Amino acid sequence: MIQLIDLFVKNKIKKVLNYLSKNVELIDKFFLYADEDTNRDVKIFIKDFKIDVRSSYPREEVYLPSIIVLVENEQEVNYGLGSGIDENYIGLGENYLDWPKGEKHPIQENIQMHTSIRCEVWSDNAVITSFLYAITKYCLLATRKEFEEENIILSSLSGGDLEPIPDFINFFVYRRALNLECEYTSSYYRLGEYAGKMDSQFNLGTSPDDIDIEAKGIVYDRETNGEQS
């Protein structure tokens, strides 16, 4: 299965934002060093304002504040898991040779991917942008176990300071970006290729009695139960 990992990240951010909006008292415990007035304003903001979590850049003021989730880059890891199928391929809990002959069994392969997800916080207020950046960081950390349960592993976070963007749209915007680096395994089926149907594979239903074992010039003759050179 090919994961749409940016949608997964977006859903986790939405999940935690929804939780915080219903439990705003946790703001005091989760975020240190802000003064009392700032925390009070943030609680009101989290509770009463809609924070748009999007997969594309905002074009109008109505979409701010926003958290934008983008796939910055992806790279296949050179130690990807598996490549093809042979007589030892295991699926459905048993050797593929035991699968029913009358059914088509697509060949599954796996790759390991390294990806960088960029979560950009946009608003027209520098303080709001900075605090939403911290909240986004919390969203990704608080759900890290859920990432691991989906085999999204080796995650790490990085980020930077505010980036004023005066020329992107027709009003002044502050942006701050958080990067999530991680690895995950994707599975896919080879187009039009099925187990037991390729020249390099044994047919479905093959047993050891159907195979002549040849090694170092010696062939085992099953009919005579003896060896021939």
Side-chain angles (χ1 to χ4, degrees):
M1 182 177 296
I2 303 296
Q3 291 95 325
L4 303 176
I5 193 168
D6 51 328
L7 298 184
F8 181 84
V9 171
K10 186 169 75 170
N11 288 336
K12 296 309 169 186
I13 293 174
K14 283 184 174 181
K15 175 182 178 179
V16 179
L17 286 177
N18 182 59
Y19 176 78
L20 288 177
S21 69
K22 297 176 181 178
N23 299 273
V24 292
E25 72 280 356
L26 296 176
I27 294 294
D28 292 324
K29 298 180 180 179
F30 289 172
F31 304 100
L32 300 178
Y33 309 124
D35 59 49
E36 185 176 339
D37 291 340
T38 299
N39 274 0
R40 183 185 65 247
D41 293 342
V42 169
K43 290 175 188 176
I44 296 172
F45 173 76
I46 291 293
K47 185 177 180 180
D48 297 340
F49 287 81
K50 173 179 170 58
I51 301 171
D52 207 18
V53 185
R54 301 170 57 84
S55 296
S56 60
Y57 289 113
R59 299 290 179 176
E60 301 176 14
E61 188 173 3
V62 69
Y63 293 118
L64 296 184
S66 293
I67 300 172
I68 316 301
V69 180
L70 305 164
V71 178
E72 188 169 46
N73 60 69
E74 283 195 309
Q75 174 68 46
E76 182 177 355
V77 180
N78 59 7
Y79 49 82
L81 306 178
S83 59
I85 180 172
D86 59 17
E87 63 271 20
N88 296 315
Y89 183 79
I90 301 299
L92 305 177
E94 56 189 9
N95 191 291
Y96 92 84
L97 299 177
D98 298 324
W99 294 353
K101 293 183 180 180
E103 298 179 10
K104 286 187 175 182
H105 300 277
I107 296 174
Q108 177 181 304
E109 292 186 342
N110 303 306
I111 56 172
Q112 186 123 336
M113 298 293 294
H114 178 274
T115 187
S116 177
I117 302 294
R118 184 174 174 91
C119 302
E120 296 186 358
V121 178
W122 292 57
S123 87
D124 58 358
N125 181 286
V127 175
I128 289 176
T129 298
S130 293
F131 224 99
L132 271 183
Y133 172 89
I135 290 173
T136 303
K137 185 192 301 183
Y138 174 75
C139 292
L140 298 178
L141 291 173
T143 55
R144 180 167 281 182
K145 184 177 180 180
E146 297 179 33
F147 280 70
E148 293 172 352
E149 289 172 350
E150 294 294 326
N151 294 319
I152 302 171
I153 59 173
L154 303 177
S155 60
S156 63
L157 297 175
S158 62
D161 208 345
L162 285 168
E163 302 171 347
I165 311 174
D167 55 354
F168 186 77
I169 38 186
N170 58 0
F171 55 94
F172 199 89
V173 172
Y174 292 92
R175 177 179 67 184
R176 195 171 183 186
L178 183 71
N179 290 322
L180 169 68
E181 302 278 342
C182 60
E183 291 188 11
Y184 63 94
T185 301
S186 281
S187 301
Y188 63 94
Y189 294 109
R190 286 164 58 174
L191 186 63
E193 297 184 6
Y194 300 92
K197 299 292 185 181
M198 299 176 64
D199 293 339
S200 60
Q201 304 165 358
F202 293 117
N203 293 327
L204 295 176
T206 300
S207 72
D209 291 334
D210 300 320
I211 303 170
D212 286 332
I213 302 173
E214 185 175 341
K216 295 183 179 179
I218 299 176
V219 178
Y220 187 83
D221 189 339
R222 297 187 183 281
E223 293 183 359
T224 61
N225 197 29
E227 292 185 353
Q228 299 175 352
S229 59

